[in-house]
Amino acid sequence: MSSMNHRERLQATVAGQPVDRPAVAFWRHWPVDDQDAEGLARAQLDFQRRYDWDFIKVTPSHTYCIDDYGAEHAYRGIPIGDRDHLKRVIARLEDWDRIQPLDVRKGVYARQLRCLEIVLKNREPNTPVIQTVFNPLSMAKFLADETYLIHLRRDPERVGRALSALTETCAAFAKAAIAAGADGIFLSTSAASYEAMSEEEYRRFGRPTDLKVLEAARGGWLTLLHLHGQHPMFSKVTDYPIQGLNWHDRAAGPSLAQAAKEFPGALVGGVEQFKLLHFGTPAEVQAQVRDAIQQMDGRRLIVAAGCTYPLTVPDGNLRAARQAVERG
């Protein structure tokens, strides 16, 4: 088969068609840089030039989606590069009444759109770009920590109104990202996992809000859903209007081979990031990549980690993963 560019390879992957080699992409956080549009864009573009991934996932700090609600945070050395919350926006049930839809053309959301535009302008033309978006339930958790679920159970109507406002903000940002030229969004949820809430709760509060955000991003062709957690509700999201699913396949399951029977689109994973990618050898990383390719028979696979990886992952292990998909 003749060589494909990144866009052609990914388009074939999501369609289940043959590819010249499996697609591959890894992503990480960029502490300090992620508080500045130009700084984050530069970090993302330098990372792409170094490894030549098949797509660029623009990865801001998770706090960007709640900054304009008054979040206070700082980088204090979390291994994956996330920021610590210094003070939560929501402390009491009544605080949810203050949550209203935001204008994503202003404030930190506007900063993130500016970052996306810089990346789009300076990326190699055939390299797709997707924007990280945290789903409304994740936003609620960032605003109140685990207390959000207690509040949701105590007063679902009150918190539900705030969740509607968060959904409107989230959907507006997703739509703006696609309008700016993003090829899709990377919708992340930590709530679609059994350690986070019940199926019934996710069906009531998670699924409807997720679908509104995905509808806003319908102009994209490479939208991925990330299921964060060790007990994902995998079978409950396989009918979402998305092109790919990313989850902790090595640590939490289901395996790629099992998941391929449930979800018809691209499966994004195959590499465990906290132990093997972090502390393993290049040979072990390559063996895990080859196993992933074998599980999927070389189709519908985007080789990736289950999530963002620790900042101290060795360069040699990332290069090993990148080299493992090359043929010959």
Side-chain angles (χ1 to χ4, degrees), residues 31-50:
V32 180
D33 292 322
D34 57 22
Q35 300 303 292
D36 174 75
E38 290 74 16
L40 179 56
R42 181 172 56 249
Q44 298 272 188
L45 291 164
D46 288 348
F47 186 59
Q48 177 62 19
R49 294 185 188 106
R50 188 172 190 180

Side-chain angles (χ1 to χ4, degrees), residues 19 23 27-28 53 72 106-107 121 153 166 220-221 227 252 267 305 316 319:
V19 290
W27 49 88
R28 51 161 284 179
W53 306 122
E72 297 179 24
K106 298 178 180 179
K121 181 180 179 180
R153 290 166 175 169
L166 295 175
W221 64 272
L227 299 178
L267 299 180
R319 292 194 181 279

Side-chain angles (χ1 to χ4, degrees), residues 24-28 55 57 59 130 132 185-190 192-193 222-230 232-234 237-238 240 242-256 259 263 265-274 300-309:
V24 59
F26 284 73
W27 49 88
R28 51 161 284 179
F55 65 83
K57 175 187 172 293
T59 307
I130 63 176
T132 301
I185 65 170
F186 183 93
L187 185 64
S188 177
T189 176
S190 60
S193 187
L222 186 62
T223 285
L224 310 181
L225 177 69
H226 172 65
L227 299 178
H228 193 78
Q230 293 302 304
M233 299 179 189
F234 192 90
V237 300
T238 52
Y240 274 24
I242 54 177
Q243 285 72 52
L245 258 172
N246 173 240
W247 75 107
H248 303 264
D249 65 291
R250 294 289 184 181
S255 68
L256 291 170
F263 179 68
L267 299 180
V268 187
V271 178
E272 194 284 315
Q273 71 273 20
F274 290 116
R300 291 201 293 131
L301 173 66
I302 300 174
V303 173
C307 194
T308 51
Y309 60 81

Side-chain angles (χ1 to χ4, degrees), residues 32-323:
V32 180
D33 292 322
D34 57 22
Q35 300 303 292
D36 174 75
E38 290 74 16
L40 179 56
R42 181 172 56 249
Q44 298 272 188
L45 291 164
D46 288 348
F47 186 59
Q48 177 62 19
R49 294 185 188 106
R50 188 172 190 180
Y51 296 103
D52 193 31
W53 306 122
D54 282 296
F55 65 83
I56 300 170
K57 175 187 172 293
V58 179
T59 307
S61 164
H62 73 279
T63 54
Y64 90 91
C65 62
I66 59 165
D67 272 349
D68 294 327
Y69 286 107
E72 297 179 24
H73 48 81
Y75 176 59
R76 296 286 174 79
I78 293 177
I80 64 168
D82 260 338
R83 297 176 72 81
D84 278 310
H85 290 267
L86 304 181
K87 183 180 180 181
R88 298 286 179 171
V89 175
I90 303 295
R92 304 173 303 146
L93 259 173
E94 294 75 17
D95 292 337
W96 291 104
D97 296 338
R98 297 187 285 106
I99 302 301
Q100 300 295 324
L102 296 176
D103 182 351
V104 299
R105 299 290 177 180
K106 298 178 180 179
V108 174
Y109 275 105
R111 184 187 78 195
Q112 191 53 46
L113 287 173
R114 187 165 68 252
C115 170
L116 174 63
E117 290 165 356
I118 296 170
V119 172
L120 288 165
K121 181 180 179 180
N122 292 281
R123 53 93 186 255
E124 188 275 326
N126 287 311
T127 301
V129 175
I130 63 176
Q131 172 64 53
T132 301
V133 176
F134 294 95
N135 79 330
L137 279 178
S138 295
M139 295 171 69
K141 181 179 178 181
F142 299 156
L143 288 169
D145 200 6
E146 300 297 343
T147 305
Y148 92 96
L149 189 54
I150 296 172
H151 287 172
L152 190 61
R153 290 166 175 169
R154 286 181 57 193
D155 196 339
E157 289 189 7
R158 167 175 266 149
V159 182
R161 287 192 295 270
L163 196 58
S164 294
L166 295 175
T167 302
E168 187 174 334
T169 299
C170 189
F173 180 69
K175 185 176 183 178
I178 298 299
D183 295 273
I185 65 170
F186 183 93
L187 185 64
S188 177
T189 176
S190 60
S193 187
Y194 291 103
E195 74 260 38
M197 58 173 48
S198 70
E199 283 184 20
E200 175 56 33
E201 287 171 328
Y202 203 81
R203 189 181 301 114
R204 180 179 178 185
F205 300 109
R207 183 181 175 89
T209 56
D210 288 348
L211 293 177
K212 287 180 181 178
V213 176
L214 291 170
E215 171 64 19
R218 68 186 182 279
W221 64 272
L222 186 62
T223 285
L224 310 181
L225 177 69
H226 172 65
L227 299 178
H228 193 78
Q230 293 302 304
H231 303 279
M233 299 179 189
F234 192 90
S235 63
K236 306 305 176 186
V237 300
T238 52
D239 63 340
Y240 274 24
I242 54 177
Q243 285 72 52
L245 258 172
N246 173 240
W247 75 107
H248 303 264
D249 65 291
R250 294 289 184 181
S255 68
L256 291 170
Q258 292 171 321
K261 299 173 184 178
E262 295 189 53
F263 179 68
L267 299 180
V268 187
V271 178
E272 194 284 315
Q273 71 273 20
F274 290 116
K275 295 181 180 178
L276 186 126
L277 188 65
H278 198 188
F279 302 119
T281 66
E284 289 171 329
V285 172
Q286 292 200 331
Q288 198 164 73
V289 172
R290 286 193 294 270
D291 174 74
I293 294 170
Q294 184 177 24
Q295 286 190 56
M296 296 298 295
D297 196 24
R299 295 199 185 192
R300 291 201 293 131
L301 173 66
I302 300 174
V303 173
C307 194
T308 51
Y309 60 81
L311 303 184
T312 46
V313 160
D315 175 78
N317 283 354
L318 289 173
R319 292 194 181 279
R322 177 64 183 84
Q323 292 163 0

